[in-house]
Amino acid sequence: MAEIILFPGQGAQYSGMAKDLYDNNPRAEVTLNKIFKALDFDLKTIMFEEDERLNQTEFTQPALFAHSLAVIAAADIGGDFVLGHSLGELPALVHAGVLSLSDGVKIVQKRGELMSRSEGGKMAAVIGMDYADLIELCESVSDDTVKVSPANINAPDQVVVSGDVEAVDSFSNKAKEHGARRVMPLNVSGAFHSHLMKDAQDEFRTFVESIEFKDAKIPVIQNVSAQPETDSETIKKQLVEQITSPVRFVECIETAVENGVTSGLEVGPKKVLNGLTRKINKSIKVKNIDTLDQVKEYSDD
């Protein structure tokens, strides 16, 4: 019986996130203060107060990183595997001992900056479409000049596509004819996990070359391979590849089940991954820890 620790990605943030942990749990306060002091902007205000910057990628990513690691510190969590959704892979790497907290902060700040600067493109959530049909439609509306492809394979009936505006619009217009129940454009600053992130990826690769990655103490099921990884060089390479590659969350959860995982713990804001995991495989029972009360419940179990 193994447990997987799940780290959420963008979209889970909310105003006031982690404030109750900061105010009432000394371990969370120490962790958050280290993160706040390492940044050149006021993340504390962005997270704890009503601040429109929270939904801007360059600030969203450090906020989610901080909240997840505050929960880890507050609840003294272990785990047999870790899995982060997109941005969530970074706090997962800190928890697994691959990155130091200070290096994790540097990387999450750089990643957020680079992704926020990548203008152009579009993303859309597709509900209720067969995956093989989705791939076929992506290919049929793409050519040498414009492309659309899967970005987040979140659940059997939920996939996010990403790419050039014209290709995403063409896909969206035809998707219902191919079995989709709904297609919803996403309010994001760029076409994440697509070919349009190539420049950001190249700059990110150069940046992480100077940072020390250690072998993982806890296997990391990475978004790119959907396999448990412990080798530091493999993890670094795939962290970079992730910027233009799809988040294969469905396969990641299936891999966890194959490796004996029966329970999960989602650490950080809301419980998005809890819901997605249930859709993929109900054999994994996932709890989530977001608030101080949930930390206390977990510690009392």
Side-chain angles (χ1 to χ4, degrees):
M1 292 177 61
E3 180 177 55
I4 190 165
I5 312 303
L6 302 169
F7 295 79
Q10 279 185 247
Q13 68 274 7
Y14 62 86
S15 294
M17 58 193 287
K19 187 177 188 304
D20 59 340
L21 298 173
Y22 184 84
D23 289 343
N24 299 285
N25 186 284
R27 292 193 300 271
E29 181 186 13
V30 168
T31 295
L32 287 168
N33 277 334
K34 286 179 181 176
I35 295 169
F36 295 155
K37 287 173 183 174
L39 295 165
D40 57 8
F41 55 85
D42 186 4
L43 183 61
K44 184 178 180 181
T45 295
I46 292 169
M47 289 175 66
F48 293 173
E49 299 177 15
E50 291 286 339
D51 194 312
E52 61 185 19
R53 290 175 294 173
L54 181 61
N55 293 316
Q56 297 172 15
T57 295
E58 62 192 294
F59 305 117
T60 308
Q61 295 195 10
L64 291 159
F65 174 92
H67 191 154
S68 287
L69 291 175
V71 170
I72 290 285
D76 192 23
I77 289 162
D80 301 293
F81 295 90
V82 296
L83 166 60
H85 189 288
S86 189
L87 169 276
E89 196 160 277
L90 278 171
L93 293 183
V94 173
H95 183 51
V98 177
L99 294 169
S100 67
L101 179 61
S102 60
D103 283 340
V105 175
K106 290 176 190 172
I107 292 178
V108 76
Q109 181 172 8
K110 176 59 73 171
R111 187 182 188 273
E113 286 173 1
L114 292 172
M115 292 179 76
S116 69
R117 290 210 309 258
S118 295
E119 297 178 354
K122 191 171 184 178
M123 300 181 77
V126 186
I127 309 298
M129 187 172 182
D130 178 79
Y131 187 66
D133 292 340
L134 182 143
I135 292 291
E136 187 176 331
L137 182 57
C138 281
E139 291 173 351
S140 73
V141 301
S142 299
D143 56 34
D144 292 339
T145 57
V146 296
K147 297 177 184 175
V148 59
S149 58
N152 302 325
I153 307 160
N154 288 332
D157 66 344
Q158 182 186 326
V159 177
V160 174
V161 296
S162 181
D164 297 285
V165 172
E166 301 93 324
V168 174
D169 285 345
S170 181
F171 174 96
S172 300
N173 291 336
K174 297 177 179 179
K176 285 197 174 180
E177 299 169 19
H178 292 75
R181 288 201 307 276
R182 293 169 68 198
V183 181
M184 298 166 289
L186 299 184
N187 183 22
V188 291
S189 60
F192 302 151
H193 301 289
S194 81
H195 65 287
L196 293 175
M197 303 301 293
K198 181 69 168 60
D199 289 345
Q201 182 184 54
D202 290 343
E203 198 170 333
F204 187 66
R205 181 183 291 108
T206 301
F207 180 81
V208 300
E209 275 309 311
S210 64
I211 291 177
E212 181 185 12
F213 282 58
K214 296 180 178 176
D215 289 347
K217 296 174 183 174
I218 306 171
V220 183
I221 301 179
Q222 285 195 278
N223 293 179
V224 168
S225 65
Q227 294 299 313
E229 311 288 0
T230 56
D231 176 71
S232 60
E233 286 304 313
T234 301
I235 289 170
K236 178 188 283 192
K237 179 172 176 284
Q238 294 192 156
L239 182 67
V240 173
E241 288 177 3
Q242 191 220 72
I243 289 180
T244 58
S245 300
V247 174
R248 296 163 61 187
F249 191 73
V250 170
E251 291 171 81
C252 289
I253 292 298
E254 290 170 345
T255 293
V257 173
E258 290 165 8
N259 280 271
V261 169
T262 56
S263 64
L265 196 61
E266 182 174 4
V267 292
K270 300 185 179 176
K271 49 183 179 180
V272 174
L273 301 186
N274 184 325
L276 294 180
T277 301
R278 276 204 308 272
K279 287 185 174 184
I280 298 164
N281 194 310
K282 290 185 171 62
S283 71
I284 300 181
K285 306 304 179 191
V286 181
K287 294 181 180 179
N288 68 298
I289 305 182
D290 173 348
T291 64
L292 180 70
D293 287 345
Q294 289 167 335
V295 167
K296 289 176 178 175
E297 286 174 21
Y298 175 80
S299 300
D300 289 343
D301 283 350

